[in-house]
Amino acid sequence: MADKLSLETLESWLWESANILRGSIDSSDFKNYIFGLLFLKRYNDVFEERIVTLMKDEGLSFGDAQDEIEDKWGKFPISARWFDLISRTENIGEALDKAFATIEANNPELQHVLTATQYGDKRVLADATLQRLLRHFNQYKLGNDDLYKADMLGDAYEYLIKQFADDAGKKGGEFYTPKAVVQLVVELIDPQPGHSVYDATCGSGGMLVESAHHVSGLPNGTLMGKPNVLLFGQEKNLGTWAIAKLNLYLHNMHAAIERGDTLVEPKHLNGDFLKSFDRVIANPPFSAKAWWTPLELSNENEQDSGKKAKAPNYKQVSDPYGRLVYGIPPRGYADFAFAQHMLASLKADGRMGIILPHGVLFRSGEEGKIRAGLLFGTDAANGSQPGDLIEAIVGLPSALFYNTGIPACVLIMNKQKPAALKGKVIIIDASRDYLEGKAHNSLRVEDITRIVATHKAAFEQQAEVENYCRVVTLDEIRSNDGSLNIARYIDNGEIEEVVDVAATLTQLETLAEKEVQIDALLNGYLAELNFGELSQ
């Protein structure tokens, strides 16, 4: 075996573990089982590595070194260790469940994370399958000295998340935003050393990891070897939340990731108020429906009591955190609910980036009112909210995401736009630059670089690029009734054929006359052959 395990070897080794599980469980659940074992092997190998180091550096016996490591890092009983688990031939799942519960009990940071997946149900995973899986995981050591960089496991983990998203198709989009799209949004909002970054719908944590990587690459970007950034997130789905916690743990990063519905039950609070952050980022579920649970529940209870079924009235939504100040989005489109939650979670000089479906740029009704408020502000009757909050809109290519072919856009909002950009919005049409793929398209490095450089030039010098980027005044947007439909502002450069209406009509008249002549001729032939006339 090579001295250091390469990322490529690690990736293919992890992917082979999925093949062992095929047929036993649904492919969309593979990730939970594999990630748990990956974590356990890593935890075990680092524990052993620390003991060996102490024995070597301080001449301690195995027992003394073990006691010292357990005092510092928490108890790790024999029954939870790898050598004990791999020697078992029966009730392996139960032993794994106990091992995970023990590690959790000694690591408050991992509470409910490892036990989110249960291995002990033999109807799901037979002992023979688990034995094969453990043997497969036994092939390599995953201590810090065995990997070519400490957070390499996190990279392998991300690779697996992507592979599972490919494998699970539609379900994949729920927990994974393609890495190139994440990189784009992170570069556009540009978090700085010392900042706090919050992902309101963090999925498997990719946007937080990427934000930390971005900050690490800047001057003063690391502090005692770790990224100089504070990370926060919230995720609704238990399994996905557990994956996010493990993802950050394996990247040697710490993040405060809470579980729950961000819209109904935001968890990052200062007393009764929302916490605020320097940067806020998210890829919420596109146009989520029935998004205000309390209203949906009271409506269902009414129907249970025999009243006629009808959809709840979303004008009744009452948010205790006062986030929906620009208006209440309709029941079928939560997009502007997430955007307003993020805006309310943003510091006075903060910047946020959200991925949304194109419809938010031009849909009318309540969404049109919210959009107008974000652009032009609201009057005293509507609470006098500030406008001019939209810094930039980037139109993305279609079919970039796993769960939808809908074209999306990145909306960048800024509470403190520079003087030269006040009263203006940067609009970039990046929809034509991408790599075409079978299942979905993807952004290339050059596409991201072009968008980011164009945005920077427009932000700093109001520079424009023909058929690609414009700096549009709020007056022009107002003249378009507040629509931000990109096609209204940026000509895509394709020369359309000019239609001469008068000439076309003359041509159609000529063709109609010819048709009459041909019909007459044809009817003559049919009469000669004793057939009836051609029906009109």
Side-chain angles (χ1 to χ4, degrees):
M1 190 167 74
D3 292 346
K4 300 271 182 190
L5 184 58
S6 75
L7 183 59
E8 211 177 332
T9 308
L10 182 58
E11 285 175 350
S12 62
W13 174 56
L14 289 174
W15 187 242
E16 282 161 26
S17 62
N19 293 327
I20 294 172
L21 285 171
R22 267 181 220 289
S24 296
I25 50 173
D26 190 81
S27 65
S28 59
D29 293 328
F30 285 177
K31 58 188 186 299
N32 305 13
Y33 293 94
I34 291 171
F35 293 160
L37 288 177
L38 172 65
F39 173 84
L40 183 61
K41 183 75 166 75
R42 162 81 170 160
Y43 189 89
N44 179 87
D45 292 354
V46 169
F47 180 83
E48 286 181 359
E49 186 176 66
R50 284 170 175 152
I51 290 174
V52 170
T53 304
L54 262 187
M55 288 167 70
K56 200 165 79 186
D57 293 355
E58 297 183 24
L60 298 181
S61 68
F62 180 86
D64 289 347
Q66 176 178 267
D67 291 345
E68 203 168 306
I69 296 296
E70 285 195 304
D71 284 345
K72 189 174 178 186
W73 301 96
K75 286 264 171 251
F76 190 29
I78 299 290
S79 61
R81 294 192 203 170
W82 195 260
F83 72 85
D84 188 79
L85 291 164
I86 200 157
S87 66
R88 290 173 178 270
T89 54
E90 55 185 24
N91 301 331
I92 299 168
E94 283 171 32
L96 282 168
D97 287 341
K98 275 187 195 151
F100 286 127
T102 308
I103 295 171
E104 265 187 23
N106 291 300
N107 291 272
E109 164 73 1
L110 295 169
Q111 195 100 42
H112 308 304
V113 173
L114 303 168
T115 50
T117 300
Q118 294 291 311
Y119 292 78
D121 188 341
K122 289 183 180 171
R123 292 166 304 177
V124 178
L125 280 177
D127 277 325
T129 307
L130 278 172
Q131 213 173 359
R132 279 184 69 205
L133 209 50
L134 287 173
R135 279 187 193 150
H136 180 74
F137 270 90
N138 204 41
Q139 289 175 40
Y140 296 105
K141 276 203 158 314
L142 300 176
N144 290 325
D145 288 345
D146 304 303
L147 309 174
Y148 78 84
K149 65 170 184 172
D151 75 346
M152 180 172 115
L153 263 193
D155 294 346
Y157 197 82
E158 277 181 38
Y159 156 84
L160 267 188
I161 293 171
K162 181 198 174 304
Q163 290 295 85
F164 288 128
D166 280 338
D167 212 43
K170 286 198 168 188
K171 283 188 182 175
E174 291 167 21
F175 59 89
Y176 182 77
T177 304
K179 192 164 184 177
V181 180
V182 174
Q183 284 170 334
L184 170 66
V185 184
V186 168
E187 291 203 32
L188 288 170
I189 64 169
D190 192 22
Q192 295 296 302
H195 270 177
S196 55
V197 179
Y198 164 57
D199 184 341
T201 56
C202 71
S204 48
M207 285 184 161
L208 295 173
V209 169
E210 193 56 46
S211 296
H213 282 325
H214 175 86
V215 170
S216 295
L218 299 170
N220 305 317
T222 55
L223 204 58
M224 295 169 68
K226 293 211 166 190
N228 182 10
V229 65
L230 295 163
L231 304 173
F232 301 84
Q234 184 162 340
E235 170 54 39
K236 189 175 174 179
N237 178 290
L238 171 66
T240 309
W241 169 82
I243 285 176
K245 298 272 283 186
L246 287 182
N247 192 8
L248 281 131
Y249 190 97
L250 291 172
H251 270 102
N252 291 343
M253 294 172 185
H254 172 76
I257 300 178
E258 299 291 340
R259 216 188 115 218
D261 182 333
T262 303
L263 294 180
V264 175
E265 206 185 356
K267 293 285 181 76
H268 291 287
L269 304 170
N270 275 331
D272 294 334
F273 300 95
L274 292 181
K275 231 185 205 126
S276 58
F277 307 91
D278 298 295
R279 294 289 185 267
V280 179
I281 189 168
N283 176 17
F286 287 176
S287 302
K289 294 175 182 19
W291 50 271
W292 194 256
T293 321
L295 201 57
E296 297 292 333
L297 282 174
S298 68
N299 190 58
E300 282 167 19
N301 293 339
E302 272 184 28
Q303 286 172 32
D304 287 346
S305 62
K307 291 193 180 173
K308 194 168 175 235
K310 63 173 186 189
N313 176 8
Y314 265 59
K315 288 199 165 45
Q316 294 171 359
V317 168
S318 171
D319 173 33
Y321 302 101
R323 293 167 292 178
L324 305 174
V325 290
Y326 291 91
I328 298 162
R331 184 180 184 224
Y333 300 100
D335 307 307
F336 273 130
F338 283 110
Q340 288 186 88
H341 164 78
M342 291 167 69
L343 197 59
S345 305
L346 200 58
K347 285 185 180 173
D349 59 350
R351 193 190 230 171
M352 62 172 258
I354 180 172
I355 300 166
L356 292 169
H358 261 202
V360 299
L361 302 178
F362 51 79
R363 286 194 295 250
S364 55
E366 202 55 37
E367 290 182 292
K369 276 188 216 157
I370 296 168
R371 193 171 55 247
L374 297 171
L375 287 163
F376 314 121
T378 63
D379 55 27
N382 291 309
S384 297
Q385 296 300 328
D388 201 8
L389 290 165
I390 299 177
E391 174 190 304
I393 294 153
V394 180
L396 298 174
S398 59
L400 286 181
F401 299 90
Y402 289 91
N403 53 353
T404 178
I406 297 172
C409 62
V410 181
L411 193 65
I412 304 293
M413 291 169 73
N414 189 336
K415 285 193 174 174
Q416 206 173 65
K417 281 160 82 166
L421 207 58
K422 285 206 160 65
K424 300 183 178 107
V425 177
I426 300 164
I427 298 181
I428 296 173
D429 180 4
S431 62
R432 295 182 302 281
D433 301 338
Y434 58 89
L435 178 69
E436 203 168 328
K438 269 187 206 157
H440 50 86
N441 301 323
S442 53
L443 289 175
R444 298 161 298 190
V445 173
E446 59 264 37
D447 303 328
I448 299 170
T449 306
R450 185 182 185 199
I451 295 167
V452 172
T454 303
H455 170 263
K456 191 173 194 285
F459 185 82
E460 290 172 357
Q461 294 121 27
Q462 288 70 62
E464 299 187 327
V465 180
E466 198 179 348
N467 304 328
Y468 187 73
C469 169
R470 279 192 62 210
V471 180
V472 181
T473 64
L474 288 182
D475 286 342
E476 183 179 344
I477 294 169
R478 198 180 260 110
S479 73
N480 277 321
D481 297 324
S483 169
L484 290 170
N485 193 353
I486 293 170
R488 288 201 177 192
Y489 303 96
I490 296 181
D491 180 357
N492 66 13
E494 290 170 10
I495 299 163
E496 289 182 19
E497 195 181 332
V498 179
V499 177
D500 183 334
V501 178
T504 305
L505 286 172
T506 309
Q507 209 176 349
L508 284 171
E509 276 174 28
T510 311
L511 287 170
E513 282 170 21
K514 273 191 180 167
E515 191 183 3
V516 171
Q517 289 167 6
I518 290 165
D519 282 353
L521 194 63
L522 194 54
N523 283 330
Y525 292 143
L526 289 169
E528 280 176 28
L529 296 166
N530 289 326
F531 283 106
E533 280 201 357
L534 189 72
S535 59
Q536 292 300 311

